[in-house]
Amino acid sequence: MNHPILHEILSHPLIALFLIIGLGLALGKISIQGMNLGSSGVLFLALIFGHLGYVIPAGVGTFGLVLFVYCVGIAAGGRFFAAIRREGSRLALLSVVIVGSGAALAVLAGHLLKLPGDLTAGIFAGALTSTPALAAASEALKTSEDSALVIGYGIAYPFGVIGVVLFVQALPRILKLDMSRGREDEREREERVHTVLVEVTNPNLFGKKIDNSEVNHFNACQISRIVRSGNLTPLAYDDVFEAGQILMVVGRKRELEMAIELMGKQSDQRLLRDVENELKTLLVTDKRVSGLSLRELRPLKKHGVVITRIHRLGLEFVPNADSIVEMNDMLTVVGDPQRLAEFATLIGHRPNAIHETDLLSLSIGLAVGILLGIIPLTLPGGEPIMLGLAGGPLVAGLILGNFGRVGRLVGHIPRPTRILLQEFGLVLFLADAGVKGGEALVETLQAQGVGLFLAGIAVTIIPLALGYLAAVKLLKIEPVQALGGICGGMTSTPALGAITSKTDSQTPVVSYATAYPVALILLTVVAKMVVKLMG
């Protein structure tokens, strides 16, 4: 990069920033044996640019940090609190074992090798492949002392990625584990929404109105269509049960089995239906509808449509009469085209609204998160602490992500938009951190030597082994489920991909999704503790 024209171009901070991001993402896409650096490629390229003396605009790292952790909170909020409530308490404990042992080993290695606190925290974050932990530690160091932090992360990260992937691939072979479907799959199948055709044979139902039947009073079951002239058409309010009638029922496995037993038998007929015109996904934006239950809304009686599913915060469920309709719910609605159009108007649906982001809520949510981060919290007998720019927006995002809305603030961000904002915030933060860290890259490596690499390997491998032993022996978690939980505890998506490529079981995915948000929060908290303990 000694060419004067090229040097002049790269000396422009904005050009340097977007070149680092673009080339870093291209580097991250290079795959070796199915593994790649992903967004962390930006960090490694930024280290080189920083070492060569190039700079990027001031403040982009802070902006990227706030945007990234807020979007992480929005995404994890709905699962984080649910993970604590469900049997995820065991998987939450697994995350505690992994993150806690990783932090303890990092601190031990730091003391043995006489490493500074920022370098130790970087090794901890890199070995557990956690960018949020890197962000939290960076914020705790006030960003002016974090060059060694980024170097430690960059050194430990590659083996952190490779080590978890190798572990979850090698362990089943060594222990001869059965990677077929686990018992968790049955529950996952029961939670999944299905549709079946049912033939009515129960004489006790003949002549009774379908809308008032016991079927629609089940917890998660809806009759959505009825056969007319050989085709499935939307259910009408006045329809009654008839002998030999074919109905389409939507619901979860257990409720469907009850509905079939009540009405008659499952039908194997194949019938045509006009999906494009008679089934729509509609977004609720009218405040007059928000907060009403289906019992109050009476969609079939008053509007001639059936709400078969509700999509909320990335989750899908079949509603019952007591289900509440909330703002930004996406409703799967069945009805004739004219009634669907009328119902769409009632709930405030706009064709482009599903893909829109509420910029007002996004801006105020970020502002509230920053405010939470800078307000000192006084603990009994201790010094005031602050959540910081990593913790405050994360907490705000978790709350909005869990509740969907708080007052006028809406936590809904369409998934493609949220992923784009999260990724953009992440690469801005990585570019800023890498450029700052690159200034001292060579000096740190010369001073610390091979000890950094060995420390990173230990902080990756030992928590993996301890986590698996604790999961199987103490927490009594099934081996396949434990492997998915370990991937979540290490926040390693590549490792999860390595497991799912070897099995059709959804067990690892479910346990990963439960352990991941718990580990995510723990890592951001513990990373700051590592900085403080080594300070």
Side-chain angles (χ1 to χ4, degrees):
M1 296 188 184
N2 292 326
H3 194 283
I5 297 179
L6 180 60
H7 177 74
E8 185 69 23
I9 292 173
L10 293 177
S11 295
H12 191 291
L14 275 175
I15 293 177
L17 170 64
F18 288 108
L19 272 178
I20 290 170
I21 291 174
L23 295 177
L25 290 174
L27 173 65
K29 289 182 179 295
I30 298 175
S31 181
I32 301 175
Q33 296 295 316
M35 294 177 289
N36 57 54
L37 291 174
S39 299
S40 292
V42 174
L43 175 66
F44 291 101
L45 198 69
L47 284 167
I48 296 173
F49 269 68
H51 173 65
L52 295 174
Y54 296 104
V55 297
I56 61 176
V60 298
T62 301
F63 171 71
L65 168 64
V66 169
L67 187 62
F68 170 65
V69 296
Y70 180 77
C71 289
V72 165
I74 291 289
R79 292 173 295 167
F80 177 70
F81 297 103
I84 302 299
R85 291 193 297 266
R86 294 195 309 266
E87 56 101 12
S89 58
R90 293 187 299 165
L91 291 166
L93 287 174
L94 175 58
S95 294
V96 171
V97 171
I98 293 173
V99 175
S101 60
L105 285 164
V107 171
L108 177 62
H111 284 300
L112 291 177
L113 298 175
K114 296 182 172 53
L115 302 178
D118 48 4
L119 195 56
T120 303
I123 290 174
F124 166 70
L128 272 70
T129 66
S130 174
T131 312
L134 174 67
S138 175
E139 199 275 331
L141 290 164
K142 309 305 180 187
T143 72
S144 62
E145 311 164 30
D146 64 356
S147 59
L149 167 75
V150 178
I151 294 169
Y153 180 89
I155 290 170
Y157 180 87
F159 187 82
V161 174
I162 297 169
V164 186
V165 172
L166 293 177
F167 182 87
V168 299
Q169 288 181 325
L171 192 66
R173 297 180 183 177
I174 296 172
L175 301 180
K176 296 181 172 56
L177 297 178
D178 180 12
M179 295 296 288
S180 61
R181 290 186 177 275
R183 64 187 182 189
E184 287 298 305
D185 287 328
E186 180 61 28
R187 183 172 61 197
E188 179 69 11
R189 286 194 293 273
E190 288 180 356
E191 292 297 320
R192 198 174 299 148
V193 177
H194 303 270
T195 58
V196 297
L197 294 177
V198 181
E199 181 179 346
V200 179
T201 61
N202 183 357
N204 295 322
L205 294 177
F206 297 166
K208 292 184 178 180
K209 287 185 63 174
I210 295 176
D211 184 54
N212 294 331
S213 70
E214 295 178 33
V215 176
N216 286 335
H217 293 285
F218 290 163
N219 183 47
C221 200
Q222 292 280 350
I223 299 174
S224 63
R225 297 175 186 267
I226 187 172
V227 172
R228 292 186 177 90
S229 302
N231 291 322
L232 279 168
T233 58
L235 184 69
Y237 176 66
D238 294 325
D239 284 328
V240 297
F241 288 106
E242 299 174 3
Q245 188 179 52
I246 304 295
L247 301 173
M248 172 168 279
V249 189
V250 182
R252 297 182 307 192
K253 183 175 181 290
R254 190 161 117 1
E255 281 76 10
L256 286 177
E257 290 173 350
M258 295 168 60
I260 293 170
E261 184 176 354
L262 173 67
M263 291 189 291
K265 62 182 182 180
Q266 186 167 345
S267 173
D268 57 2
Q269 289 192 37
R270 294 183 177 276
L271 301 168
L272 297 176
R273 50 182 167 150
D274 190 348
V275 175
E276 183 176 352
N277 293 322
E278 296 176 350
L279 185 147
K280 297 291 184 184
T281 299
L282 305 176
L283 185 70
V284 178
T285 64
D286 195 309
K287 297 175 184 177
R288 293 172 295 180
V289 175
S290 178
L292 295 179
S293 68
L294 294 195
R295 193 186 309 280
E296 296 169 314
L297 193 58
R298 297 303 299 270
L300 184 57
K301 180 178 181 179
K302 295 182 178 179
H303 311 291
V305 300
V306 177
I307 299 173
T308 61
R309 312 183 192 204
I310 295 179
H311 304 255
R312 181 181 297 160
L313 300 174
L315 302 174
E316 177 187 65
F317 61 93
V318 178
N320 57 33
D322 296 319
S323 297
I324 304 296
V325 175
E326 301 283 1
M327 286 286 286
N328 297 304
D329 277 353
M330 286 192 291
L331 311 179
T332 300
V333 188
V334 175
D336 67 61
Q338 182 178 349
R339 292 300 188 94
L340 285 174
E342 293 171 357
F343 188 70
T345 302
L346 172 75
I347 67 172
H349 172 76
R350 302 188 309 276
N352 295 325
I354 291 176
H355 306 293
E356 290 180 356
T357 300
D358 188 339
L359 286 176
L360 177 62
S361 290
L362 175 64
S363 301
I364 296 178
L366 287 169
V368 170
I370 294 169
L371 184 62
L372 286 176
I374 62 177
I375 294 176
L377 303 174
T378 304
L379 300 177
E383 296 182 0
I385 62 170
M386 292 189 293
L387 293 174
L389 294 180
L394 181 64
V395 170
L398 282 170
I399 293 172
L400 275 174
N402 181 65
F403 294 104
R405 63 180 299 126
V406 176
R408 293 183 177 273
L409 289 184
V410 177
H412 170 75
I413 300 178
R415 187 174 184 274
T417 305
R418 176 179 54 76
I419 291 174
L420 176 63
L421 291 175
Q422 182 174 314
E423 184 77 2
F424 184 58
L426 173 60
V427 296
L428 287 178
F429 167 74
L430 291 177
D432 183 69
V435 167
K436 291 177 179 176
E439 299 173 1
L441 176 63
V442 175
E443 292 82 350
T444 304
L445 290 176
Q446 290 175 340
Q448 304 300 338
V450 74
L452 293 179
F453 294 98
L454 296 177
I457 291 172
V459 177
T460 295
I461 293 297
I462 296 177
L464 286 173
L466 291 176
Y468 183 79
L469 289 174
V472 175
K473 301 297 183 183
L474 299 179
L475 301 174
K476 306 302 180 184
I477 299 174
E478 290 291 306
V480 177
Q481 186 184 9
L483 288 176
I486 284 171
C487 294
M490 294 290 291
T491 64
S492 176
T493 305
L496 178 67
I499 295 177
T500 55
S501 67
K502 303 296 182 183
T503 178
D504 292 329
S505 173
Q506 289 300 304
T507 297
V509 178
V510 175
S511 54
Y512 170 89
T514 306
Y516 176 87
V518 179
L520 190 72
I521 308 307
L522 285 173
L523 283 162
T524 59
V525 174
V526 173
K528 291 188 175 185
M529 293 174 60
V530 171
V531 172
K532 183 165 287 189
L533 287 171
M534 294 299 297

